[in-house]
Amino acid sequence: MRIPLSWLREFAQVPAGASAEDVMAELVKVGFEEEAVHRPTDTLQGPIVVGQVLSIVKEPQTNGKTINWCQVRVVPEGQEQTLAGDGIDPSGVQGIICGAHNFVEGDKVVVTLPGAVLPGDFRISARNTYGHLSAGMIASVRELGIGEDHDGILVLSRIGLDPKIGTDAMELLGLYDQAAEINVTPDRGYAFSIRGVAREYAHATGTSFTDPAAKVQAPAELSGGYGVKLNDDAPIYGKPGCDRFVARTVRSVDATKPTPPWLTSRLRLAGIRSISLPVDISNYVMVELGQPTHCYDLDKLSGDIVVRRAVVGEKITTLDGKERALDVEDLLITDGSGPIGVAGVMGGAATEVSNSTSNVLVEAAHFDEVSIGRSRRRHKLPSEASKRFERGVDWHVADIAAQRVVDLLVELARGVADQAGTDVGTAPDAVTIALPAAFAAQRIGIDFTEEQITTSLVDLGAMVEKNNSGWTVTAPSWRNDLETKEDLSEEIARLVGYDNIPATLPVAPPGRGLTRVQQQRRRLIQALADAGLTEVLAYPFVSKAANDTFGVAEQGAARSAVKLANPISEEHSFLRTSILPGLIEVAKRNHSRGFRDLALFESGLVFLPGGTVGTPSIPPLGVKPADEVLDALYDGVPDQPLYVAAVLTGHDSPAAASHTPRLWDWSDALDIARLAGDVLGVEVVVSQGAHQAFHPGRAAQLSLRTGEVVGYAGELHPKLLAAHDMPARSVALEFNADALFEAAADVIVARHISTFPVATQDVALVVPQDIPADQVLEALREGAGELLEDVALFDVYAGKGIEEGKKSLAFGLRFRATDRTLTADEASAARESAVALAAERFGAVQR
C-alpha cells in the first residue's frame, strides 16, 4: 500500500516536516513492514515553471522534420527574472526549440529551465541546435515522469489549469509530495486505505485520528433508486456472494472534463494511473475509504441489476478487452442483456463509462471474500478492487463510499445527483468476543493494566463492556480478522508496544529434544552430504507421464496419484509419487548450463493415495468438527512417506595433474544405499531388480531383511536419458527412508570386537546361471553358523571350464571366535557346513 503524505495529513497528525521514512518508522511500531519510498524529487529537480508561448516559428529541416522556434515567457510581464544561471534570460523570455505540434501561441505550458534535472538524470542546459540557442525545454507528461503520454507537450488548460506565469510547476502538479509504501498482510485488509493507515498512524504516535467516513453526509435511508436484486442460489460455504448493494445515480455528468492535478497526483503516488474523471474518482474513493466502487454508463444498462452466479457457457468481455469464459462459481453483476461485470474483480466493456457518458450509475457493494478470491485466481485477473474485497471490506462503509463518489462527480464533473437511491442487503451480525481478565497477560507474558487493555481495544474501534470475569468486546466492522480472544490479545500487545515485551528465552523442560525419527533423518542427510553429495530441492508437482514412469516398477502397472485442482501448469498437474522426476529436471537444468559432474540428492515427501482421497463434504466453519469427522478427514489424506533419492552424472571428481577422474557407475549408487543403511543401523539387502525407469540389466532392488522392498538403484534407462538429453550411463537411486527408520533399532548396540585372530577361507561354487549371487551368499551365511564374521562375493566367472548354463561364484569367508583362537579344523567345518546348505538349496557344487 502506497500512502501519499499529503493525503495522510488530512486524517492524521503527521508533522509538516515528516518524510516518508519517518512515517514508515512509526508504522513499523504497529506491525507493518517497510517497502519503499516514492518521491518525485529524487529524480526531478527544478527550476521548472509555468510559461506562456508568445510566438511559434515553424522551420522545416533537411531531414524532413519541422521544428518550432518558440519564444516563451516564464516571468509575468513587467516583473524581473529572479532566477539566475547559465542560459536563464534576465528578460524572462526564453528561446526554446520544440518538436511537438500540439500547442499554439498563448498556451500555458511547463518549462524546464537550464539547471533542471528530469528523470533518467537528463540535465537541461542551453545548447545550440537547429541554428538557434535553445535555453530550456517545453515538457511532456512522460518527460516529467507523471504519465506515459509522449505524443505532445503538457498544455495546462487541457487539465483545467490557468496558473500565473512563473508559478512553480512542481508545486502546481503535486510533485513535492511523497509516498511511503508498506507491506499489508492478508489479515489486515483495512490497511489498504488511507482511512486504515491514518488510524494505525494515530495508534503508533498516540495522536488523534479523523475518520474520513465521518466527513461524508450520506442519507440515513435510500429508496426509489435503480432496481437491484441479490439472487445467489449457489452460495459458497453457505455464505451469500453479495450481502449489500448500494446504487446511486448522477445525471448530466461531463465525462470529458480533466481530472484535477491534485487528484491525479495522489493517485499516481498511490500507484494508480489516471484514466478518466469518473474512473479516477472511483479509484480515489477506493484508496481513501478502502471500499471499491464502480461507475456504469446508465444509458447502456437494460433492466434491473441482478447479482447472481454464472451459468454454464456464459462469457463476458471485461474492461481489459478480453473475452472470458465464466465458471458457475463466478459471482456476476448482470442486467437484462447478461453479464456486465465479474463482481468485485472487473467490470464489463459493454457498460463502460466513456467520453460520451452523460448519466452514471454508481455501485458500492459488499462481496464475500472467498467468492472474489476464487474468481480472481480462476481468471488470473488481479485488480485493486479484488485485492481489497478478498481481504475483507467494511460492510458499513458502502453507502458512505457511494455518497463520496456522488459528491465528487457533482463537484468535479458538474453532475446532478438523484435523491433516490438503492440500498439492499442484510447487515452481518456483530462479532462479540469474551476476553477473560487475565488472558492477555497469560498469552503475551507480561502484565497489562486494565487501562492498557480497555484503551487499546477502544482505540481499535471496538465496544468494550466490563463483566465479572473480564470484558465483552464487540469487534469493529472494519476488522473482520478479530474473532477470538487470542486475536484481541495480539492487538493489545501490538498497540501497547512490541518493544515492551521482554526478550527472555524460556527454559527448556527436561526430557525434550529431537524425536528418534528427527535424529535419524538428520543423521542420514548429514551422512549423504559428508559423502560428497549436494542436497537440492525440486518441485513436488510432476506430469502424469513422470508418475507413470517412476511411480511403479512394472510398466503398465496400476498407479494412483493426487491430481491438483488448480495447478500452476497443466504439464505439472499431479503430486509426485517419486522424487526422481524433479531431481532429474534439476540435473538436466544444470547440464544445460555447463555443469556436467553432479552428485545430487533430495529428501522429501511423496504422495501415495490409498483408498478414498478427501471427504464428500467440508465441515462448516465456526465450530470444531466431531472426532469422527476429524478421523474421516485424516483418513482422506494420502500417505506421505519420506523418500530419499540421488542422481549421479559425469565424473566423481575434477580432473587434475596426475589424477584421472572416474565416471560414476552403478556401484556408486549401491554404495550410497548401503551407506544409508549403515548410518541407521539397518541392513540393506541388495539383489537383482527390475524397474521401468532403470536399465534392464543394471538395476538393483533394495530390500530389508524381512523382504520388504524399499527402493531401487542402478543405471537409468538409456531411452529415458536420451529423452532428457542426459549423459549415458547416469545412475540414480531412491528408497523409502521412513521404512528404514522404522526398521532401525531404538538403540544401536556396538558389537564386541574380538582380540583373537581371524581365520580366512575361500570357496568357489558352481550354480545355475539364473541363481542370484545374493541368495547363495545368504545360504552360506546361514549355514556357516555363529563363527562366521563376514562373507563377501569377490568373483563371478562363466566360460571355459564351466558347464554351459552355469556360473562360478567365489566367496571369501572370515571366521572368528570371541573367546579363543579358532583351529583350522573348526574354520573348515564351518565352511563345509555353509557349502552343504548352498548345495541343498541350489545344487551348488564346489570347484
Side-chain angles (χ1 to χ4, degrees):
M1 172 67 184
R2 295 185 182 184
I3 311 120
L5 265 57
S6 64
W7 208 346
L8 183 64
R9 286 190 175 98
E10 289 188 16
F11 312 114
Q13 294 181 345
V14 181
S19 65
E21 290 87 349
D22 297 330
V23 169
M24 288 193 296
E26 296 294 347
L27 293 174
V28 164
K29 296 177 183 177
V30 286
F32 292 100
E33 295 179 8
E34 300 177 351
E35 285 289 330
V37 170
H38 301 273
R39 190 163 28 227
T41 54
D42 286 344
T43 57
L44 185 68
Q45 300 174 23
I48 302 175
V49 300
V50 173
Q52 185 171 37
V53 180
L54 301 179
S55 65
I56 301 174
V57 178
K58 297 186 178 297
E59 299 182 354
Q61 304 298 310
T62 56
N63 60 6
K65 293 176 61 177
T66 297
I67 60 96
N68 297 317
W69 170 237
C70 306
Q71 299 298 311
V72 184
R73 179 174 292 283
V74 295
V75 174
E77 189 172 3
Q79 293 185 16
E80 295 183 359
Q81 173 62 274
T82 58
L83 299 173
D86 187 16
I88 296 180
D89 197 310
S91 69
V93 177
Q94 300 288 126
I96 299 174
I97 292 290
C98 184
H101 301 282
N102 66 320
F103 63 101
V104 297
E105 294 176 355
D107 280 343
K108 290 182 179 179
V109 294
V110 175
V111 180
T112 58
L113 295 173
V117 180
L118 299 183
D121 198 28
F122 182 68
R123 298 179 180 274
I124 305 300
S125 61
R127 59 191 180 94
N128 287 300
T129 180
Y130 294 106
H132 298 281
L133 179 65
S134 180
M137 186 176 77
I138 306 175
S140 69
V141 293
R142 178 181 291 182
E143 288 162 341
L144 293 171
I146 61 175
E148 295 300 319
D149 184 12
H150 197 54
D151 294 335
I153 64 168
L154 173 59
V155 178
L156 295 175
S157 62
R158 294 174 190 163
I159 60 171
L161 295 177
D162 184 21
K164 180 181 178 182
I165 297 172
T167 299
D168 186 343
M170 292 182 63
E171 183 175 358
L172 179 72
L173 298 174
L175 298 176
Y176 289 124
D177 200 0
Q178 53 186 301
E181 184 174 1
I182 58 173
N183 179 37
V184 178
T185 53
D187 62 325
R188 300 173 75 177
Y190 67 93
F192 273 113
S193 66
I194 301 297
R195 181 192 189 202
V197 174
R199 181 182 282 110
E200 290 295 335
Y201 184 86
H203 294 333
T205 57
T207 56
S208 62
F209 159 69
T210 301
D211 190 348
K215 299 174 68 175
V216 179
Q217 299 299 317
E221 292 184 2
L222 290 172
S223 61
Y226 199 90
V228 175
K229 299 175 183 176
L230 307 183
N231 185 21
D232 185 359
D233 55 2
I236 299 175
Y237 299 146
K239 188 174 181 180
C242 177
D243 56 7
R244 189 179 193 186
F245 197 107
V246 177
R248 299 290 303 277
T249 302
V250 183
R251 303 183 187 276
S252 303
V253 167
D254 184 356
T256 63
K257 285 187 66 63
T259 303
W262 62 267
L263 196 152
T264 58
S265 171
R266 287 184 172 180
L267 287 180
R268 182 176 63 252
L269 277 175
I272 300 175
R273 65 185 180 92
S274 175
I275 297 174
S276 66
L277 181 56
V279 175
D280 291 348
I281 288 173
S282 177
N283 286 333
Y284 185 86
V285 172
M286 174 183 67
V287 177
E288 184 173 79
L289 297 174
Q291 167 70 57
T293 62
H294 187 72
C295 293
Y296 299 93
D297 188 325
L298 180 63
D299 298 323
K300 296 178 181 177
L301 294 174
S302 59
D304 290 347
I305 285 178
V306 179
V307 184
R308 61 170 174 81
R309 300 287 173 180
V311 298
V312 176
E314 275 193 302
K315 296 181 179 181
I316 186 175
T317 300
T318 46
L319 289 173
D320 57 1
K322 295 181 180 179
E323 184 179 72
R324 302 179 185 276
L326 298 169
D327 186 270
V328 292
E329 256 195 7
D330 287 330
L331 188 70
L332 303 180
I333 310 299
T334 69
D335 67 357
S337 65
I340 58 173
V342 181
V345 179
M346 186 172 285
T351 56
E352 179 181 8
V353 171
S354 65
N355 286 343
S356 62
T357 297
S358 176
N359 302 314
V360 173
L361 183 71
V362 178
E363 165 206 309
H366 186 268
F367 301 114
D368 172 47
E369 296 92 333
V370 175
S371 286
I372 304 309
R374 289 188 178 184
S375 291
R376 190 267 300 169
R377 289 189 290 272
R378 184 181 299 116
H379 296 291
K380 299 179 176 60
L381 193 59
S383 65
E384 291 294 328
S386 65
K387 180 166 64 177
R388 288 163 172 81
F389 276 127
E390 64 183 298
R391 288 165 172 81
V393 170
D394 184 2
W395 189 95
H396 293 279
V397 84
D399 58 329
I400 295 170
Q403 183 64 48
R404 179 72 164 134
V405 174
V406 168
D407 292 344
L408 289 173
L409 285 173
V410 171
E411 177 186 349
L412 303 178
R414 299 177 181 173
V416 178
D418 281 5
Q419 294 301 313
T422 304
D423 189 351
V424 295
T426 304
D429 295 333
V431 177
T432 302
I433 306 164
L435 178 64
F439 184 81
Q442 294 169 352
R443 180 78 174 178
I444 307 301
I446 59 175
D447 291 328
F448 296 108
T449 66
E450 182 173 327
E451 182 182 0
Q452 285 177 319
I453 292 173
T454 56
T455 300
S456 298
L457 296 177
V458 170
D459 285 349
L460 284 177
M463 295 176 58
V464 183
E465 294 182 9
K466 180 72 174 172
N467 55 43
N468 293 334
S469 59
W471 297 272
T472 300
V473 181
T474 303
S477 59
W478 56 85
R479 292 298 302 271
N480 61 341
D481 59 313
L482 302 181
E483 297 179 337
T484 66
K485 57 187 177 182
E486 289 80 7
D487 297 333
L488 296 180
S489 298
E490 291 170 7
E491 289 298 300
I492 293 167
R494 184 173 69 89
L495 297 188
V496 170
Y498 292 134
D499 53 341
N500 291 320
I501 300 176
T504 56
L505 291 175
V507 178
R512 302 286 181 88
L514 297 177
T515 65
R516 171 176 170 268
V517 172
Q518 288 172 332
Q519 292 174 338
Q520 291 171 323
R521 179 175 180 175
R522 289 193 178 192
R523 196 158 60 239
L524 173 59
I525 292 173
Q526 187 63 52
L528 296 179
D530 291 343
L533 280 73
T534 301
E535 186 176 13
V536 297
L537 291 175
Y539 284 113
F541 312 125
V542 299
S543 65
K544 179 181 183 299
N547 272 343
D548 289 343
T549 301
F550 292 92
V552 288
E554 184 180 349
Q555 188 172 2
R559 191 265 320 147
S560 59
V562 178
K563 192 175 190 303
L564 299 172
N566 187 25
I568 296 174
S569 165
E570 286 299 328
E571 295 179 0
H572 302 89
S573 57
F574 286 84
L575 288 175
R576 65 187 179 189
T577 56
S578 166
I579 294 178
L580 282 175
L583 206 53
I584 289 172
E585 284 298 321
V586 173
K588 178 181 176 181
R589 190 178 306 112
N590 277 273
H591 275 228
S592 69
R593 287 157 175 76
F595 298 100
R596 301 283 175 169
D597 300 327
L598 302 171
L600 309 176
F601 82 97
E602 179 183 3
S603 64
L605 302 181
V606 297
F607 305 87
L608 308 176
T612 302
V613 176
T615 55
S617 61
I618 297 176
L621 301 176
V623 294
K624 181 182 177 181
D627 290 343
E628 58 271 17
V629 175
L630 290 174
D631 291 341
L633 289 172
Y634 286 124
D635 291 341
V637 176
D639 187 24
Q640 300 171 48
L642 178 76
Y643 273 37
V644 172
V647 172
L648 313 175
T649 69
H651 299 85
D652 66 345
S653 58
S658 303
H659 171 68
T660 302
R662 182 180 64 83
L663 286 170
W664 295 111
D665 62 25
W666 59 269
S667 63
D668 295 297
L670 296 184
D671 286 344
I672 293 171
R674 291 191 179 100
L675 171 64
D678 291 343
V679 167
L680 298 173
V682 177
E683 183 180 358
V684 176
V685 179
V686 177
S687 60
Q688 182 69 38
H691 192 292
Q692 60 177 323
F694 288 83
H695 190 290
R698 299 174 187 149
Q701 177 179 284
L702 308 176
S703 308
L704 300 176
R705 181 61 61 186
T706 60
E708 179 185 354
V709 177
V710 295
Y712 293 86
E715 284 188 19
L716 290 168
H717 200 290
K719 290 183 179 179
L720 186 148
L721 293 174
H724 286 80
D725 196 23
M726 296 271 287
R729 310 297 289 269
S730 294
V731 297
L733 74 147
E734 183 173 37
F735 58 85
N736 184 337
D738 276 352
L740 296 186
F741 298 157
E742 187 174 349
D746 290 341
V747 178
I748 300 175
V749 180
R751 188 170 58 182
H752 175 72
I753 300 176
S754 174
T755 59
F756 293 95
V758 67
T760 302
Q761 295 199 19
D762 296 339
V763 63
L765 301 176
V766 178
V767 297
Q769 189 74 41
D770 60 348
I771 299 297
D774 68 306
Q775 294 184 15
V776 179
L777 185 147
E778 287 302 314
L780 292 174
R781 188 194 303 275
E782 184 179 342
E786 62 181 12
L787 293 179
L788 182 68
E789 184 176 81
D790 188 42
V791 57
L793 175 71
F794 66 84
D795 186 53
V796 179
Y797 173 73
K800 187 177 181 180
I802 302 297
E803 184 180 345
E804 186 176 353
K806 295 191 176 182
K807 60 184 176 183
S808 172
L809 304 176
F811 297 92
L813 291 85
R814 190 169 65 199
F815 300 97
R816 191 188 330 241
T818 60
D819 57 350
R820 68 190 186 281
T821 299
L822 290 177
T823 65
D825 290 342
E826 287 178 308
S828 296
R831 184 194 66 179
E832 293 304 322
S833 177
V835 171
L837 185 58
E840 178 185 337
R841 289 185 178 176
F842 308 112
V845 176
Q846 186 172 351
R847 289 180 67 187

